[in-house]
Amino acid sequence: MKCIIIDDNEVARAAVKHCVEKTPFLTLSGTYSNPIEALDAIKHEKPDLLLLDVEMPEMSGIDFIKTFHDIPQVILITSKKDYASEAFDFNVTDYILKPVEYPRFLKAVTKAKEMQESFKKETPDGNELFIKVTNKYVHLNMNNIYVVEALADYVNIYTDSQRYTVLSTMKAIEDKLPRKDFIRVHRSFIVRMDKIREIDDSTIVIGDKHIPISRNMKEAVMNALNKL
């Protein structure tokens, strides 16, 4: 997994870098002292994971996450517990307290690796998906998926006949779904566009579900629809 470290404290950056270098499945793409410096790297390097400090002077880690519609997996690193509940509202992969100890770091990045691997496209046409449910992989046809819902460390995948709960981030599944068919309408929801029955200023109706549209995603949602 390619990762980027963002922390305004040089000693803290060095400590996290040391942990990355000890971990065989991690590759460090860069270290940055503030989120603004890291923006170009995230755009061009396309890392799989951000190791992100929360408390930074120019922009906090939480505020940085809020600026993205599409962000890699994030492990937040901070000296305070106060941000934990807010962090998980943004579907971060894990939350580590400073000083970072390697066993706790390894547990967090292993979780990120498992999430990355939990979705596998197995067919050339890209219309099928194998999802890991408990100890087995289940085959899904993407045409049958109509809503994906974030649920802390998991996502709910709703199909025409069943709901599946899978260990993953929204980012991981969004990368697997064809953009011509699916759209992110809220930080917690992805919908299949041809399953939309009704839409108004703030809500999408799919089947019996009413899905909220976030204000900052509304324009993209409306532009994506074939409207008369």
Side-chain angles (χ1 to χ4, degrees):
M1 296 181 73
K2 290 197 300 183
C3 63
I4 282 177
I5 299 168
I6 308 173
D7 195 311
D8 65 310
N9 184 288
E10 184 176 357
V11 174
R13 287 198 306 274
V16 177
K17 181 181 178 183
H18 179 65
C19 290
V20 170
E21 290 169 345
K22 287 176 64 174
T23 309
F25 58 84
L26 293 182
T27 301
L28 186 62
S29 294
T31 64
Y32 301 90
S33 61
N34 67 70
I36 308 303
E37 289 181 358
L39 282 172
D40 280 345
I42 293 170
K43 180 179 178 181
H44 295 106
E45 294 289 333
K46 299 188 184 303
D48 303 299
L49 179 64
L50 301 186
L51 300 165
L52 179 63
D53 185 25
V54 175
E55 296 177 289
M56 292 178 282
E58 292 187 32
M59 178 185 288
S60 76
I62 298 290
D63 288 337
F64 186 56
I65 293 172
K66 290 177 182 178
T67 66
F68 281 85
H69 291 170
D70 185 15
I71 194 168
Q73 288 195 67
V74 175
I75 294 175
L76 287 178
I77 303 175
T78 182
S79 57
K80 296 183 179 180
K81 296 180 180 179
D82 304 354
Y83 299 99
S85 60
E86 186 178 4
F88 286 112
D89 284 343
F90 291 92
N91 302 311
V92 301
T93 301
D94 212 335
Y95 185 92
I96 302 177
L97 289 175
K98 295 179 180 179
V100 176
E101 297 180 351
Y102 186 67
R104 180 66 183 90
F105 175 88
L106 183 61
K107 180 180 178 181
V109 296
T110 299
K111 179 179 175 182
K113 182 173 180 286
E114 289 173 352
M115 285 186 167
Q116 184 188 52
E117 293 174 348
S118 64
F119 287 89
K120 305 288 182 182
K121 275 187 186 174
E122 299 290 346
T123 56
D125 65 7
N127 199 42
E128 296 178 351
L129 187 69
F130 283 80
I131 60 172
K132 191 172 185 180
V133 180
T134 59
N135 61 347
K136 61 185 178 182
Y137 282 92
V138 175
H139 169 263
L140 291 184
N141 187 309
M142 292 193 200
N143 292 332
N144 296 328
I145 298 171
Y146 65 92
V147 173
V148 180
E149 176 187 22
L151 188 70
D153 295 342
Y154 296 81
V155 295
N156 282 331
I157 299 175
Y158 294 88
T159 70
D160 295 334
S161 60
Q162 194 170 344
R163 182 192 73 187
Y164 299 91
T165 301
V166 182
L167 178 67
S168 178
T169 62
M170 289 291 271
K171 164 67 176 170
I173 189 169
E174 189 173 19
D175 285 347
K176 298 296 184 185
L177 298 173
R179 294 185 182 276
K180 66 181 179 63
D181 298 321
F182 292 87
I183 189 166
R184 185 83 166 260
V185 300
H186 187 276
R187 72 185 185 201
S188 298
F189 291 98
I190 298 169
V191 303
R192 186 176 177 96
M193 286 185 283
D194 64 5
K195 301 283 188 179
I196 296 173
R197 180 158 59 88
E198 295 177 10
I199 185 168
D200 62 23
D201 285 345
S202 59
T203 307
I204 285 172
V205 179
I206 296 182
D208 60 354
K209 287 191 167 297
H210 289 69
I211 309 297
I213 307 172
S214 67
R215 282 184 296 178
N216 61 339
M217 295 179 184
K218 180 182 173 183
E219 183 177 355
V221 171
M222 298 306 291
N223 288 340
L225 299 178
N226 185 17
K227 303 187 298 298
L228 181 63

